[in-house]
Amino acid sequence: MELARKLIDTHDLTKDEFAALVRAADEPGTAEMLREEAAKLRKQYYGNKVFMRGLIEFTNYCKNNCYYCGIRAGNKNAERYRLTKEEILECCAQGYALGFRTFVLQGGEDPWYTDEKIADIVRAIKDAYPECAVTLSIGEKSRESYRLFREAGADRYLLRHETANEEHYGMLHPASMSLKVRKQCLYDLRELGYQVGAGFMVGSPWQTPEHIAEDLVFLKELQPQMVGIGPFIPHHDTQFADKPAGSVPLTLFLLSVIRILLPKVLLPATTALGTLDPRGREKGMQAGANVVMPNLSPVRNRKQYELYDNKICTGEESAQCRGCLERRVESVGCVLVGERGDAVK
Ligand code: SAH
């Protein structure tokens, strides 16, 4: 309780204090106190608005082998697909008509889409919808590639750091990947003028309160405009198939902590949260989240972009998704808005 009070008063804690706060997350009253403060801060900076981002999952090919992820290269059972530029633009057209003003292009790390192809797609979207923001979420690239995408018009970039602890990073990824490179990517993106999103999974295998504390210290240092956190959920075709899923209450607790740590941050109530709890996203908004990312991918491909088991919203048309989310957002006293929704300065 005392640490929660200190966090509210100073918007920061030391690493050891964060770890102690996380360990005491289920002490009576603590989560409620942080939730109230988080809701107050969100309201102060963003009113009751919840921004929607249209997620276009344009490829599930990936050259990486992250141990937790269902579309990792080594999963021979994954049915692979790629969207053409025309198909991506069709998703944007549908999204635009439904009021979306941010398009998020997410995919595995798929070398088939060369830098030139990605830049060309970004340019085409910005030409057609100059008032819309384009967000990329396509993994680790060189600074030069990031520069090219930025010059093509990309506004934002999502790259979760996954865990800020070196050793833990090594337990979730093959030796070919490193936290150092991941962090460097985030610093490069920031320097190039992107609005940057970092983040991590809650309850990934072997995660400790100390690891989460390091995540929070790293976020405070990086000062990203967006932070994506969601519970880890096992995928049956990975080596983590039998690991337990992350905790919904702890995810909600951390949403509040992050809102207080970075009051102006854009914070999604993730699909993973909605997958583990039918009202997970609503609870996320009550805990301080102010973004939702409904799917604009073609319905025929949605099941194929399977990062984890039982992912929700894979059978619906985009218009249905929008309507459903609108009702969910309103059920917690917020309003779903179709604006670019940049972070407040
Ligand atoms: N290739 C891109 C996009 C990754 S998918 C990149 O590297 O950034 C987006 C996010 O989904 C990942 O960053 C990861 O945090 C999350 N994710 C992957 N597998 C997951 C799982 N099994 N459970 C929960 N979240 C998962």
Side-chain angles (χ1 to χ4, degrees), residues 62 68-70 106-109 137-140 158-160 162 182 200-201 230-235 272 305 307-308:
C62 191
Y68 43 83
C69 185
Q106 189 181 79
E109 289 196 20
S137 180
I138 54 175
E140 298 172 11
L158 304 179
L159 186 78
R160 291 186 177 180
E162 313 296 0
R182 197 103 181 147
F200 58 94
M201 286 176 286
F232 160 75
I233 304 175
H235 182 285
Y305 197 82
L307 308 179
Y308 48 79

Side-chain angles (χ1 to χ4, degrees), residues 192-212:
L192 288 164
Y194 284 93
Q195 296 173 42
V196 173
F200 58 94
M201 286 176 286
V202 178
S204 57
W206 305 292
Q207 186 185 54
T208 64
E210 285 70 26
H211 294 153
I212 295 174

Side-chain angles (χ1 to χ4, degrees), residues 31-212:
E32 290 74 14
M33 183 171 146
L34 293 177
R35 186 173 61 219
E36 265 173 44
E37 180 67 16
K40 196 189 96 190
L41 288 169
R42 191 201 53 201
K43 194 154 192 186
Q44 180 180 334
Y45 292 109
Y46 293 102
N48 55 359
K49 287 180 185 176
V50 170
F51 302 107
M52 53 177 189
R53 319 296 198 198
L55 186 62
I56 304 170
E57 300 158 333
F58 70 98
T59 173
N60 72 347
Y61 282 85
C62 191
K63 67 178 166 69
N64 288 334
N65 255 308
C66 307
Y67 299 154
Y68 43 83
C69 185
I71 64 166
R72 61 188 230 293
N75 182 7
K76 297 292 174 254
N77 294 327
E79 236 181 81
R80 306 287 171 171
Y81 73 92
R82 291 185 176 108
L83 300 189
T84 63
K85 177 181 168 186
E86 289 65 35
E87 287 173 315
I88 294 171
L89 285 167
E90 178 51 35
C91 295
C92 295
Q94 274 193 27
Y96 190 86
L98 290 167
F100 287 84
R101 294 297 176 267
T102 292
F103 302 115
V104 182
L105 298 182
Q106 189 181 79
E109 289 196 20
D110 180 359
W112 186 88
Y113 294 90
T114 58
D115 289 354
E116 288 67 33
K117 282 194 183 124
I118 295 288
D120 179 55
I121 291 166
V122 171
R123 241 179 265 116
I125 298 174
K126 293 295 282 194
D127 280 348
Y129 310 103
E131 80 274 36
C132 294
V134 171
T135 306
L136 292 176
S137 180
I138 54 175
E140 298 172 11
K141 307 274 173 185
S142 72
R143 196 190 166 84
E144 283 321 300
S145 306
Y146 288 150
R147 188 197 306 280
L148 193 74
F149 306 153
R150 181 92 184 103
E151 284 165 2
D155 303 277
R156 308 181 184 138
Y157 206 102
L158 304 179
L159 186 78
R160 291 186 177 180
H161 63 279
E162 313 296 0
T163 171
N165 178 277
E166 201 83 60
E167 204 186 327
H168 188 220
Y169 195 94
M171 298 165 98
L172 303 180
H173 303 95
S176 55
M177 297 178 72
S178 81
L179 177 60
K180 217 172 144 232
V181 171
R182 197 103 181 147
K183 281 186 171 175
Q184 188 55 51
C185 287
L186 285 163
Y187 290 122
D188 287 343
L189 288 162
R190 188 175 68 177
E191 249 182 65
L192 288 164
Y194 284 93
Q195 296 173 42
V196 173
F200 58 94
M201 286 176 286
V202 178
S204 57
W206 305 292
Q207 186 185 54
T208 64
E210 285 70 26
H211 294 153
I212 295 174

